[in-house]
Amino acid sequence: MKPTHHKRTGWTALLAASTLGLGGFANAQELPPSLVTPDRVETSVGTLDFKDGAPSQATADKVFDALDFTHGLDAFLNSFGGASAYALGKGFREVGAEDNAVVIFPELMDAKSLFLTANADTIYYLSIIDLSKGPMVIEQPPKGLGTINDMWFQWIIDIGFPGPDRGEGGRYLILPPDYDGPVPDGGFFVARSKTNHVLYGARAYLTDNDPKPTVDLIKKTLKIYPYTPGGYGTSIATALDGKVRLQADPPVPPTKFVEASGKAFNTIPPGDFSYFEMINENVQQEPATSYNPELSGQLAAIGIVKGKHFAPDERMKKILTDAAAVGNAAGRVLNWQSSEVPGWAYYAGSAWSSMLWEGGANFETPPPMITKDGYFAPLPPTGARTLNSKTAFYYGYTLDSPAMIMRLPKVGSQYLMGFLDAAKAPFDGGRTYKVTLPPKIPAEAFWSFTLYDNQTRSMLDTPQRYPRAGSQSYPSPAAEADADGSTTVYFGPTQPDGVKRGNWIQTVPGKGWFTILRLYSPLETFFTKEWRPTEIALVP
């Protein structure tokens, strides 16, 4: 007799496949241990109980709390740029600068206004520009430098020396989201925003150590006004196509300037639960598509959704308060311990650091190298967001631009952050420290130190008003070099004996501080690291 062969078909085959699908194990007792959830699991969120894999209600409650905390922490860390941009607008309105008005610091910025790590070397002029009614024109003054970001601190276009006008000045046309109307044939540098408002942030150098000529130039030439389709920049030939009518440009309205030197106002996001209320305000005023889906999902998971009221219950408010506390701590750890993060110390073993070299301005790929012929040589994209450097940067600093982090001598400025002394300890405002800059400081334009308050990350408020020292003689005397060409700067509560006023920055007993060394128009020896400042050390 021939042997009988049984062929499995239909539901019989499917049942067999489902029974033996896990590596051929026929029952739960034979499952690999890695697939089995024990009846009790000890975790960082507590003891989790299960009955043959089914979670108890107590376990579900703990996990839901953990998920909400995780989403809240992610939302805090990943949206800080948006909160900071929004906080700038709120601060401007405190001093009477509504949208499209310009906040300017004719006597430079000092310690009275709260700005994340601003400097006391250059003339700032800034504005929140409203695109909700249509495209806006910015007539950029010559001899400036800066950038335009959207309300999530996403880069739109550079202006001034690093921008397409290359310091000559020019007209910038900023288009709002989804704008599909006519654009000019020429005469404008055109860029598009993802948000209904943009942050225009510019600064300019002093003229022979005097701010007044520069301020006068800015006030004379800076204009912000609505774009007229079919006006300047549109040719008759284009109008003949019938898609746009020729228009006469209306008179340019006067620009409102609000002088802010010496005024007290706050532009820094909070570090408590109210942070989430602020970010919700930004979400409500901007398009839902203006930021990435991952951040949108993190915000939605905690109840922040475009077009919906944000009203967390007491349980959720408690969780978000905790998330804000941990997020705030993360921003501080990643800054104060920045030199200990692999790749962030600028010199081997040094406390001088910068998180931007890890992932560049887009927090993804380090900035391009520069060839001997002067060409940029982009590095291969990593495809991964450098989340810690992004968190650290936005927690302590504002605005984002490729021009802020590039290896190009004599262009822009470079920064070294100093949060710890030579012994890797935080700075004590009651003690005296010193740092020495070797000869030939690599700054073609000028250099400076600025001190900042640990709490606010804004300029340290002392009787000096401007907590800075550098090569400029305004707003405080210039630092003087020693006979060997090196320059030593002291930080302490009282001016050390024999030290020139320009070589001393005052500190406050009981108040911690950190510093930034700025090199304006940096030279090649900075990028090659042939030139290196000493560590900031305690004076015995």
Side-chain angles (χ1 to χ4, degrees), residues 498-539:
V499 173
K500 301 289 187 180
R501 167 63 185 84
N503 295 66
W504 166 61
I505 308 178
Q506 190 172 20
T507 60
V508 180
K511 172 61 67 177
W513 57 271
F514 64 96
T515 190
I516 296 179
L517 170 60
R518 289 177 168 87
L519 304 171
Y520 293 89
S521 299
L523 300 177
E524 188 174 359
T525 54
F526 169 76
F527 299 103
T528 61
K529 303 182 183 179
E530 298 171 57
W531 181 89
R532 173 176 174 172
T534 68
E535 302 298 299
I536 302 176
L538 273 169
V539 176

Side-chain angles (χ1 to χ4, degrees), residues 474-491:
Y474 182 96
S476 57
E480 299 182 27
D482 297 327
D484 64 357
S486 65
T487 304
T488 300
V489 175
Y490 291 79
F491 315 92

Side-chain angles (χ1 to χ4, degrees), residues 130-361:
D130 183 6
L131 306 176
S132 63
K133 297 179 179 64
M136 294 290 289
V137 176
I138 303 165
E139 292 192 13
Q140 167 65 22
K143 301 181 180 179
L145 66 160
T147 191
I148 299 174
N149 282 190
D150 70 16
M151 295 307 290
W152 296 97
F153 270 155
Q154 296 171 124
W155 177 71
I156 298 174
I157 191 171
D158 284 331
I159 54 177
F161 287 113
D165 73 271
R166 303 299 293 274
E168 298 295 326
R171 290 181 174 93
Y172 286 78
L173 175 60
I174 311 302
L175 306 178
D178 302 323
Y179 176 77
D180 61 358
V183 295
D185 301 324
F188 295 85
F189 305 111
V190 182
R192 185 182 294 273
S193 171
K194 292 181 179 180
T195 55
N196 295 322
H197 302 78
V198 298
L199 175 61
Y200 167 81
R203 51 194 169 94
Y205 297 158
L206 309 184
T207 303
D208 297 326
N209 287 302
D210 183 359
K212 189 176 185 308
T214 304
V215 171
D216 290 344
L217 177 65
I218 295 167
K219 288 186 174 182
K220 179 181 178 181
T221 56
L222 175 57
K223 308 293 181 185
I224 299 173
Y225 53 89
Y227 169 65
T228 301
Y232 174 84
T234 300
S235 68
I236 294 177
T238 296
L240 292 176
D241 289 339
K243 295 180 181 178
V244 60
R245 293 174 53 192
L246 290 176
Q247 299 284 347
D249 286 293
V252 175
T255 304
K256 179 182 178 181
F257 288 92
V258 176
E259 296 188 355
S261 293
K263 292 186 177 180
F265 59 105
N266 178 34
T267 69
I268 302 174
D272 56 14
F273 171 78
S274 62
Y275 173 90
F276 295 105
E277 295 174 318
M278 176 175 284
I279 203 66
N280 177 64
E281 293 175 19
N282 200 24
V283 166
Q284 300 309 324
Q285 80 165 2
E286 301 301 342
T289 55
S290 62
Y291 48 101
N292 64 65
E294 288 73 25
L295 176 56
S296 179
Q298 290 162 2
L299 292 169
I302 61 173
I304 298 177
V305 180
K306 172 77 172 181
K308 294 186 178 181
H309 183 54
F310 176 55
D313 58 20
E314 287 305 311
R315 167 192 163 275
M316 193 64 176
K317 188 173 181 179
K318 181 179 179 182
I319 289 172
L320 293 181
T321 298
D322 190 28
V326 176
N328 180 68
R332 291 181 175 277
V333 167
L334 291 171
N335 275 286
W336 270 262
Q337 296 293 318
S338 55
S339 61
E340 304 305 297
V341 177
W344 290 13
Y346 193 67
Y347 308 98
S350 175
W352 291 112
S353 65
S354 175
M355 72 291 297
L356 283 172
W357 293 100
E358 180 185 23

Side-chain angles (χ1 to χ4, degrees), residues 105 109-115 260-268 458-459:
F105 293 83
M109 196 181 297
D110 59 19
K112 296 305 178 186
S113 55
L114 298 178
F115 273 79
S261 293
K263 292 186 177 180
F265 59 105
N266 178 34
T267 69
I268 302 174
S458 186
M459 283 191 226

